[in-house]
Amino acid sequence: MESLIREKRFRSYPDGGIQVVYDLVIIGGGPAGLSAGIYAVRYGLNTLVLEKGFVSGQISTTGEVENYPGFTSISGMELMDKFSEHAKAAGVVVESRDVLDVRSEGELKVISTDSGDLETFSLIIATGASPRKLGVSGEDGFRGKGVSYCATCDGPFFKGKNVLVVGGGESAITDSLILSDLAASVCVVHRRDELRASKVLQDRAFAKPNIEFSWNTVLEEIIGDSVVREVILRNAISGETWTSPIDGIFIYVGVEPNTGFIDVEKDDYGFIVTDGKMATSKAGIFAAGDCRAGVLRQVITAASDGVIAAFEAYEYVSAMKHKGE
Ligand code: NAP
């Protein structure tokens, strides 16, 4: 494959200022963004990865990852450390910046960040998704005082205590298992009578003596003083409500995409719509990973998206640079 011109391109301004024009800027340093970065650097693209806080992604808050080939079992944090090390060794440059807005100026994309504008020929959005809120009374007020969205992060605070987990998906059951090794008891509150999580996780959770399930149950309200003390629960079928004392509540009711800053076509939930080449509705802007409308939200699918997006960005930039030759 033909390698792109490695030198950086520059844009001069009337006031004498000069700005680097990147071939590719990748927004997000999770599995999708770093995989895209590794491939983009190897294609010879002058690439920059922007990350809001530290490089990691949502997966770093996951306990054990058992479905990423090559690792029978590895913690989400450790897997991301390995992604990071690999990206660094490949020469991927990461800057910590908060992206505010993206606009097009001719063939360039201008990215406004909290520390100035950046210009690039192409862009990959790999900003992932964040835990969705349940939206019940007390959820916001008791966040960090008994309400959490991450057992890996906050589970140790509930050693020997009684906790509630809301949700029946992969995240809820993965984190219930983590919590069951720390807490005295874990009660999984699920709005239906069947879990969405994979069978292997279900079997493991059902076998744990200190995990119980409250089926067809919804969390109505979180009550406490300086910390959480109790919850009001409701049976979704009978409508019966009751109060239950509790020390901690872990909420896993899905995820919301971090896509508010970018104006491209999205689905009803805000996930970015792409074609099979990860191209969005705007030329030169690609999307990869959990922020993209797709069926699976796994580390491996995010990495795969990132690689496809990097290749397509390479093709796009290459065609642009050789236009008119
Ligand atoms: P999810 O699969 O969307 O599951 C959300 C759960 O919350 C469902 O059980 C849902 O109930 C319930 N729920 C949604 N809204 C609710 C509400 N308002 N009140 C009560 N319950 C509500 O979300 P997730 O578990 O966070 O997983 C997100 C994605 O990440 C999935 O694609 C998952 O496969 C992936 N993931 C991957 C890994 C891994 O690769 N190791 C680990 C974790 C997650 P219903 O079942 O009734 O809809």
Side-chain angles (χ1 to χ4, degrees), residues 25-289:
V25 170
I26 299 164
I27 308 178
L34 292 183
S35 301
I38 291 167
Y39 273 69
V41 164
R42 291 169 66 85
Y43 287 135
L45 293 177
N46 176 28
T47 303
L48 178 67
V49 175
L50 299 178
E51 175 58 47
K52 200 170 181 174
F54 51 96
V55 175
S56 62
Q58 176 81 354
I59 192 67
S60 60
T61 64
T62 301
E64 289 304 302
V65 175
E66 297 176 345
N67 53 9
Y68 192 77
F71 300 96
T72 315
S73 177
I74 185 168
S75 78
M77 185 67 89
E78 207 185 333
L79 183 59
M80 277 323 293
D81 283 348
K82 288 189 181 294
F83 267 70
S84 242
E85 274 167 32
H86 190 161
K88 204 171 166 191
V92 176
V93 178
V94 181
E95 274 186 23
S96 185
R97 292 196 193 206
D98 194 358
V99 174
L100 308 172
D101 177 49
V102 175
R103 63 184 190 278
S104 294
E105 274 185 18
E107 61 182 11
L108 295 182
K109 289 42 175 141
V110 182
I111 303 165
S112 297
T113 77
D114 57 349
S115 46
D117 286 1
L118 291 167
E119 294 182 335
T120 179
F121 288 110
S122 67
L123 181 63
I124 296 175
I125 315 291
T127 42
S130 302
R132 184 186 294 146
K133 285 189 187 173
L134 188 55
V136 296
S137 168
E139 183 177 8
D140 285 340
F142 289 111
R143 188 169 184 162
K145 297 171 187 166
V147 173
S148 171
Y149 301 82
C150 172
T152 304
C153 321
D154 300 326
F157 296 119
F158 297 91
K159 217 167 178 179
K161 300 197 169 174
N162 302 304
V163 299
L164 200 88
V165 167
V166 183
E170 203 80 353
S171 302
I173 305 308
T174 300
D175 278 21
S176 295
L177 289 164
I178 294 171
L179 290 165
S180 70
D181 290 333
L182 298 162
S185 75
V186 180
C187 177
V188 179
V189 167
H190 185 35
R191 64 182 176 182
R192 293 187 293 139
D193 62 356
E194 202 183 351
L195 297 175
R196 184 181 288 275
S198 58
K199 172 117 182 20
V200 64
L201 285 181
Q202 292 195 28
D203 290 348
R204 234 177 267 167
F206 292 147
K208 282 272 183 174
N210 64 341
I211 299 183
E212 60 163 323
F213 291 83
S214 187
W215 303 110
N216 302 311
T217 304
V218 293
L219 174 60
E220 289 264 284
E221 193 178 341
I222 300 165
I223 300 166
D225 36 51
S226 58
V227 292
V228 166
R229 298 287 178 199
E230 56 188 22
V231 282
I232 298 177
L233 300 168
R234 177 174 54 84
N235 185 294
I237 296 168
S238 67
E240 178 204 352
T241 61
W242 68 98
T243 302
S244 186
I246 206 78
D247 300 307
I249 299 150
F250 288 78
I251 298 171
Y252 306 94
V253 293
V255 291
E256 278 178 354
N258 303 316
T259 56
F261 65 93
I262 184 87
D263 181 23
V264 290
E265 188 190 344
K266 297 170 195 167
D267 69 9
D268 292 346
Y269 306 98
F271 291 94
I272 297 172
V273 175
T274 71
D275 63 11
K277 294 179 170 182
M278 306 301 140
T280 69
S281 56
K282 290 200 173 150
I285 302 183
F286 304 86

